[in-house]
Amino acid sequence: MKNKIIEGFSKLDKDKKINWLIQEYAHRSEDIKNILTQYWNKNQELQKLHEEFSENTISNFYMPFGIAPNFLINNELYAIPMVIEESSVVAAASKSAKFWLDKGGFKTSILGFSKSGHVHFIFKGNHEKLKSWFDRFLKHQLFENTQDITKNMRRRGGGILNLKLIDKTAELENYFQIQADFDTKDSMGANFINSCLEQFSRTLKEEIQKSDLFPLEEKDSVQVIMSILSNYTPECIARAEVSCPIEDLKDDGGIFPEEFAWKFKQAVKIAEIEPYRAATHNKGIMNGVDSVIIATGNDFRAVEACAHTYASRNGKYSSLTHCTTDDGIFRFWIDLPLAVGVVGGLTKLHPLVTAALEILSNPSAEKLMQIAAVAGLAQNFAALRSLVTTGIQKGHMKMHLLNILNQLGATEDEKQHFVNFFKDKTVSHHLVIDEFERLRSGKN
Ligand code: MEV
């Protein structure tokens, strides 16, 4: 083995962590040290705050915080904060916002607002007896024993909505679930849900031992495997949609509205039936959704997991968006399940998250779900609009131009030259390189 194992790494201070890292793993030692330390914030309080979000922090990783303005949502204007490293996503969202601005904008609604979690357990005994004991006795006791945990949430109008026993023994021997549904109001609710579930599991084990309905071997057969919330929230869904008469779908790419509507609908249908395309189609949607989720301090891994599970709910991975062109009306929409919070978590801790929420007028969790769904729909509209007209590279590469020029070490004057150079041409990597070499060599 080339490298050494270290004990107590977490206890070392930042400098020592970096020194050890360089000694063991990095060979451009001074370079790496400078790169890592140049991102330390001069404001030590802010630096400490960020370090403590996670563990073993040695530096900060910046992401661009952008704004997509002019989003008309339910007749109110929004400027949407988006945190994303990929060029052209914010520009695409802004372009879609503008396109729909004079066509009534985006309409959104909440189709459901409950999240679930499960106690996954094994029971080797009489199924019917377990079911009747659950309904007649245990269910009430589960509510009772979580009164303390749910007190504050109930005061805010949320809490446990429903409890049921699910028999899963047909799929896995002796496997049952207690499924609990929750309303966690403006919080994402992970800690609340998991605390309730762990209390349910204790109550289950204690109460079955006390019960005289079951013989000892049945009582002792109860084994809780785990108690955990589900990141799949098909009952916590926001809908966002746009619609307009087909004749209003005027595109500057010179395509007739009817042809545009037809090709666009075909593109959505292809993503509905073809998983290869659906993955890319939904990835584009998540470009928009995740950037809002990250800007507002929410958990994008949870949102991603949920979206893709939902996209596969009918047994085949499919599009998250849908489109119809009936009776001369173009309609395009998304139903997006997601669990977000606007209180707790990073919301009051990360100054940029607080700022992002303020820019959005401090939305409720339901409002934020709708804004994220709009960002996803807008992104997908922009991508499909390009794909069925000019192709994606024209706009994408134009936005990517700066990245290529930065990689080449272009000066500000050279960058300006390239902006003019590509005014009437499609940007491509090789064209940039050729022109850059020509420019630097001073040839005409
Ligand atoms: C790129 O990040 C996303 C797209 O590929 C999405 C799509 O193809 O729909 C442009």
Side-chain angles (χ1 to χ4, degrees), residues 126-365:
N126 185 308
H127 294 187
E128 288 316 312
K129 212 161 43 176
L130 182 71
K131 282 174 204 162
S132 118
W133 177 68
F134 181 89
D135 287 335
R136 286 185 198 177
F137 173 77
L138 188 69
K139 190 168 162 173
H140 170 76
Q141 207 55 40
L142 295 174
F143 274 110
E144 262 320 290
N145 292 7
T146 42
Q147 291 286 319
D148 280 353
I149 305 173
T150 59
K151 197 164 63 196
N152 286 339
M153 192 61 85
R154 280 186 283 121
R155 210 175 287 145
R156 280 152 50 196
I160 304 163
L161 299 174
N162 192 24
L163 286 169
K164 60 179 174 228
L165 180 77
I166 303 180
D167 181 342
K168 287 272 176 182
T169 55
E171 287 160 81
L172 183 66
E173 207 177 5
N174 305 320
Y175 169 37
F176 288 85
Q177 299 171 339
I178 296 172
Q179 173 169 312
D181 302 327
F182 301 87
D183 178 349
T184 61
K185 290 291 161 199
D186 279 338
S187 64
M188 193 246 184
N191 286 331
F192 170 73
I193 294 178
N194 288 334
S195 300
C196 289
L197 293 169
E198 290 190 359
Q199 180 56 50
F200 294 157
S201 101
R202 283 190 288 272
T203 303
L204 165 70
K205 286 185 285 190
E206 283 161 15
E207 293 301 333
I208 200 152
Q209 283 299 335
K210 285 192 222 155
S211 165
D212 45 22
L213 268 180
F214 301 91
L216 193 60
E217 66 273 19
E218 288 195 3
K219 292 179 184 191
D220 288 349
S221 78
V222 169
Q223 266 184 292
V224 171
I225 304 297
M226 58 193 159
S227 306
I228 187 75
L229 93 169
S230 174
N231 285 123
Y232 182 40
T233 60
E235 307 299 333
C236 194
I237 294 210
R239 170 170 290 177
E241 63 180 288
V242 286
S243 65
C244 71
I246 290 177
E247 70 224 34
D248 291 351
L249 290 171
K250 295 189 185 76
D251 187 90
D252 42 20
I255 183 170
F256 288 114
E258 290 72 20
E259 191 191 352
F260 175 78
W262 179 78
K263 279 185 91 176
F264 192 100
K265 190 172 105 176
Q266 289 305 111
V268 177
K269 293 271 168 253
I270 289 168
E272 283 171 348
I273 59 121
E274 171 53 70
Y276 274 100
R277 174 56 202 154
T280 319
H281 178 97
N282 289 345
K283 187 274 181 187
I285 292 171
M286 299 316 284
N287 278 345
V289 175
D290 283 345
S291 3
V292 177
I293 294 299
I294 296 173
T296 55
N298 277 283
D299 180 344
F300 64 93
R301 286 87 56 211
V303 168
E304 283 277 338
C306 182
H308 298 298
T309 311
Y310 188 70
S312 328
R313 69 194 178 285
N314 297 322
K316 182 172 169 181
Y317 190 80
S318 180
S319 169
L320 287 165
T321 54
H322 306 284
C323 176
T324 54
T325 53
D326 300 333
D327 305 321
I329 301 293
F330 173 88
R331 183 169 169 252
F332 179 50
W333 75 98
I334 186 167
D335 288 346
L336 189 70
L338 72 172
V340 299
V342 292
V343 296
L346 279 191
T347 52
K348 289 275 175 304
L349 280 178
H350 197 308
L352 281 172
V353 168
T354 312
L357 289 169
E358 209 169 307
I359 291 166
L360 291 171
S361 309
N362 291 317
S364 62

Side-chain angles (χ1 to χ4, degrees), residues 86-89 277 279-285 287 379-380 383-384 387 392 396:
E86 184 176 333
S87 55
S88 86
V89 171
R277 174 56 202 154
T280 319
H281 178 97
N282 289 345
K283 187 274 181 187
I285 292 171
N287 278 345
Q379 210 56 50
N380 192 220
L384 295 183
L387 285 168
I392 205 76
H396 189 73

